[in-house]
Amino acid sequence: MYDELHSHNHGETNGDYTASSKAPHELGLSETKAKIQMPKFPGPPNFNDRYEEREYLKGRLAAAFRIFGKYGFDEGVAGHITLRDPVDPTTFWVNPFGVAFSLIKKSDLIQVDHDGNVIDGGDVRLLNAAAFMIHGAVHAARPDVMCAAHSHSIYGRSFCTLGRQLDIITQDACAFHNDHVLYSSFNGVVLADKEGKEIAAALGPAKAALLQNHGLLTVGQSIEAAVFWFMSLEKCCHAQLMADAAAGGRGGTTVKIDGADAAFTYQTIGTEKAGWFSAKPLFDMMERETGGEHLL
C-alpha cells in the first residue's frame, strides 16, 4: 500500500528534513530500505458472486454498528450507517429504526429502494426517514460511495455549532485536508427530499461533511473507510475543541500545519486504502468481542 501512497513527487520538504529521505514512522530509515522491508498489506476480499459479497458486507455493516455503539455514537434512535447493495446498487441496507446499535445483527438489517420502500430485511422494518433522505441522496449523487455514516456524536455535534471547517492542526487532521466540507444550514430533522439533495451537493467529492448544528457525515468506498473517517473526524473535532480552548486561555492560537506538508501527509493517511487498513484493528476487535454474534 505504501508504495502506491508514496508514488507522488518527493521534492517537497518537511521542516528541516527532506521528505524523500524518510520512511513513515521510522526516522533514519531510507525510503529504498523501507520499500524492501514493507510487507504486502492486506485489502478487502474480492468476490465473483455478488450474493456472497452481499452477505459478507452485511456482516461488516453489523460490526460497524457494534463499533459505533461501543464508542458511544448512539443518541436514542438517532444515527445511521448505510451500505450500497452489491446485487442491486440502486438500493441500500441500513439499521432498523429503534434497534440499539450494540444489539444489531446481520439479520436485523433492512433493505431500502430508491423510493424509500423497505423491500427486505429483519423483523423490525421501521425506516428512519432522515436516514433515507440523507443517505439516499448521497448514494444517488456518489456512485463511488459504498458506505455512508452519520450520527450525533458528542464532539462532532459540538464542533458543528461553530459554523467552520476543521483546522489542520494535527497529523490525523491531515486526512481531511481539502477533503471535508461545511454544510452551513440547519432546518430541523431532515425529512425533506430537497435538503437531502442539498447535503449531497454540498458534500461533492469529499469524504466528510460537518452538518451545522447537527453532526458529522462521512463516506467511503468501503464500510471500513467510512467508519474510520467518522471515528477519526470525531477525535479531530475533540482535539480542536480542547486545543482552541487551551490556546485561547493563554491568549494565543493553535499552530496550523503548512498546506504543502498537510497535502504530503494526506497521501499517506487520507486515501481510501489507508482508511480501510486503519479500520482493520477495530473490526478485528469487534469480531473477537462479539464471538461472531453480530453475524447471526
Side-chain angles (χ1 to χ4, degrees):
M1 178 176 77
Y2 281 101
D3 285 352
E4 296 179 18
L5 299 181
H6 286 272
S7 62
H8 55 287
N9 180 13
H10 290 288
E12 299 173 76
T13 60
N14 187 0
D16 296 329
Y17 298 97
T18 302
S20 61
S21 66
K22 304 297 178 184
H25 313 303
E26 294 290 342
L27 291 176
L29 181 64
S30 72
E31 186 175 3
T32 300
K33 289 182 179 179
K35 287 183 176 181
I36 293 172
Q37 295 177 21
M38 278 291 181
K40 182 178 180 180
F41 282 81
N46 295 314
F47 293 89
N48 294 321
D49 186 319
R50 293 300 184 192
Y51 288 92
E52 288 183 7
E53 183 179 11
R54 171 194 278 174
E55 291 307 305
Y56 171 80
L57 292 175
K58 286 172 63 182
R60 299 300 269 183
L61 183 59
F65 283 113
R66 298 291 184 109
I67 291 168
F68 267 38
K70 177 178 179 178
Y71 287 94
F73 296 157
D74 48 353
E75 178 75 13
V77 297
H80 14 88
I81 311 174
T82 52
L83 161 69
R84 186 188 299 275
D85 183 56
V87 177
D88 180 359
T90 66
T91 69
F92 62 81
W93 295 86
V94 68
N95 50 309
F97 199 28
V99 177
F101 286 178
S102 297
L103 297 178
I104 287 179
K105 302 185 296 295
K106 181 171 73 170
S107 58
D108 293 321
L109 300 171
I110 57 175
Q111 187 180 14
V112 182
D113 69 13
H114 62 276
D115 291 320
N117 301 307
V118 177
I119 59 175
D120 198 2
D123 294 335
V124 179
R125 296 200 172 188
L126 293 176
L127 172 64
N128 183 331
F132 173 72
M133 293 303 174
I134 297 173
H135 293 244
V138 168
H139 283 291
R142 291 280 301 274
D144 62 307
V145 167
M146 173 188 284
C147 180
H150 167 67
S151 84
H152 300 174
S153 54
I154 186 64
Y155 298 109
R157 73 190 190 207
S158 297
F159 189 86
C160 286
T161 66
L162 303 179
R164 57 180 294 187
Q165 290 189 353
L166 196 69
D167 287 334
I168 309 303
I169 57 173
T170 65
Q171 175 175 299
D172 303 288
C174 292
F176 302 98
H177 174 66
N178 290 337
D179 204 9
H180 76 289
V181 302
L182 171 68
Y183 177 67
S184 57
S185 178
F186 179 74
N187 297 302
V189 179
V190 181
L191 299 177
D193 178 67
K194 178 176 179 290
E195 186 164 13
K197 290 179 179 178
E198 288 175 351
I199 290 173
L203 177 65
K207 67 159 64 90
L210 305 172
L211 308 182
Q212 188 167 291
N213 305 110
H214 191 171
L216 309 180
L217 172 69
T218 60
V219 300
Q221 294 175 22
S222 67
I223 296 169
E224 292 85 356
V227 167
F228 182 74
W229 299 141
F230 189 98
M231 297 189 68
S232 184
L233 185 55
E234 169 75 358
K235 290 179 180 180
C236 287
C237 289
H238 189 182
Q240 185 169 337
L241 289 168
M242 292 194 298
D244 282 347
R250 296 169 62 88
T253 60
T254 56
V255 177
K256 314 302 187 291
I257 294 176
D258 175 77
D261 290 333
F264 179 81
T265 306
Y266 176 94
Q267 294 302 318
T268 298
I269 67 171
T271 66
E272 282 292 323
K273 284 189 176 181
W276 182 92
F277 189 66
S278 295
K280 183 179 179 297
L282 290 167
F283 282 79
D284 290 346
M285 284 300 299
M286 190 50 61
E287 293 275 352
R288 175 68 63 87
E289 289 178 10
T290 68
E293 190 240 355
H294 67 288
L295 297 175
L296 298 176

